[in-house]
Amino acid sequence: MATLSMSKKKLFIADYEIHASIKMLYPYIQTASGLAEWFADDVTINNEDKSFTFFWDSEEHKARLTAHRTNHFARFEFLPENDNDSRDPSYFELRLEFNELTQSVYLKVFDYSDFDDHKELHDLWDGLVEALRKTVGG
């Protein structure tokens, strides 16, 4: 009897200050064209089933926008690639928050995946958010 290797998924959370308005940032976290400018090599949307396809290093990963609130957040759940994914799907959520005290806008990142190198994941998100900052001038 074969044993399945079950990788435990972990939740990564980080906050990034971005010097731009929430209304300006929202399209960059929720639309295929906005995400393609900083998050992936390219992002397309299938109009039939409303799935997003993210391209990184010539690999494609399909996801659905499972929840969003205009000018607040977008959550993408990756479509299952195996039985384990079906039971416990990977997702990422990008949340825009405004701090009244400092008048600052923050991008809060939630990344739930089986990526096990926390430092490498942190470096990855640091680089992605830096690309977003350059794109929006913030």
Side-chain angles (χ1 to χ4, degrees):
M1 187 172 190
T3 58
L4 294 173
S5 67
M6 292 222 202
S7 56
K8 295 205 185 231
K9 295 191 176 174
K10 296 180 179 120
L11 181 61
F12 168 83
I13 302 172
D15 289 298
Y16 297 94
E17 184 175 9
I18 300 184
H19 302 287
S21 73
I22 285 177
K23 285 184 179 183
M24 180 192 182
L25 286 171
Y26 185 70
Y28 289 97
I29 70 164
Q30 193 266 333
T31 66
S33 59
L35 287 160
E37 290 197 44
W38 68 278
F39 183 71
D41 299 334
D42 194 17
V43 181
T44 60
I45 190 164
N46 179 325
N47 289 324
E48 286 181 27
D49 67 1
K50 302 291 185 212
S51 66
F52 286 68
T53 304
F54 295 90
F55 295 90
W56 289 286
D57 300 325
S58 302
E59 286 187 21
E60 61 180 62
H61 301 273
K62 293 188 182 294
R64 277 214 179 79
L65 179 64
T66 55
H68 70 97
R69 184 168 165 214
T70 303
N71 295 326
H72 284 62
F73 77 95
R75 180 182 181 138
F76 293 87
E77 189 173 288
F78 287 98
L79 300 183
E81 294 179 6
N82 57 47
D83 287 342
N84 201 30
D85 286 348
S86 295
R87 288 188 298 276
D88 190 19
S90 297
Y91 69 85
F92 68 94
E93 182 172 307
L94 304 170
R95 207 169 259 282
L96 299 171
E97 298 179 349
F98 182 73
N99 183 309
E100 294 281 339
L101 189 62
T102 63
Q103 300 291 298
S104 300
V105 173
Y106 289 88
L107 174 66
K108 187 172 199 115
V109 173
F110 299 85
D111 185 335
Y112 183 69
S113 67
D114 53 13
F115 205 95
D116 57 359
D117 187 333
H118 191 270
K119 174 156 180 23
E120 193 174 328
L121 190 57
H122 202 282
D123 291 346
L124 173 69
W125 277 106
D126 286 353
L128 290 170
V129 173
E130 191 54 38
L132 175 61
R133 285 184 180 123
K134 287 179 183 167
T135 301
V136 299

